[in-house]
Amino acid sequence: MPAEIDFGNAEQLLPLIVSETLARGDRLEVLVLDLTATRFMDSQGVRLINDVRHRLRPGARMRLVARPDGVASRVLELTGLRRDVPVYDNLAEAMAS
């Protein structure tokens, strides 16, 4: 994911992510979004994640990766999204889950 997720790019990211998930069809079991490079994320980033989550095929799961001390992690915590989508400290943990 990009360094910033906000009003300026969230709307363009949604169709890119959704098209990638649709391209995998029934083979998609877990979608991992890596936010470790994301240095800024506002409510549009939360909305993006929620929109992607609700567009996944039934049975597919979503995992997020965010640095524990990063902005994305704090935003996910403050908005409560962390309760709905598992967040991991690194990509290896998310892929192993």
Side-chain angles (χ1 to χ4, degrees):
M1 299 296 285
E4 294 185 8
I5 304 173
D6 57 20
F7 181 76
N9 67 355
E11 190 174 315
Q12 291 81 29
L13 289 170
L14 181 60
L16 294 173
I17 297 168
V18 170
S19 69
E20 287 296 319
T21 63
L22 292 175
R24 281 147 181 82
D26 290 343
R27 297 172 302 169
L28 180 70
E29 294 180 23
V30 178
L31 173 66
V32 178
L33 297 180
D34 187 349
L35 300 167
T36 55
T38 303
R39 304 283 183 249
F40 177 81
M41 185 170 86
D42 64 10
S43 61
Q44 294 302 311
V46 173
R47 180 179 297 203
L48 170 68
I49 293 166
N50 234 354
D51 287 349
V52 170
R53 181 170 66 106
H54 290 294
R55 285 177 169 81
L56 290 177
R57 71 166 186 79
R61 301 176 314 255
M62 176 184 270
R63 303 287 183 257
L64 301 173
V65 180
R67 293 177 333 181
D69 60 340
V71 170
S73 186
R74 286 191 296 269
V75 169
L76 295 169
E77 183 70 35
L78 289 172
T79 60
L81 188 59
R82 221 183 158 103
R83 289 183 302 240
D84 299 327
V85 181
V87 180
Y88 297 88
D89 294 346
N90 60 61
L91 191 55
E93 286 179 4
M95 298 299 286
S97 69

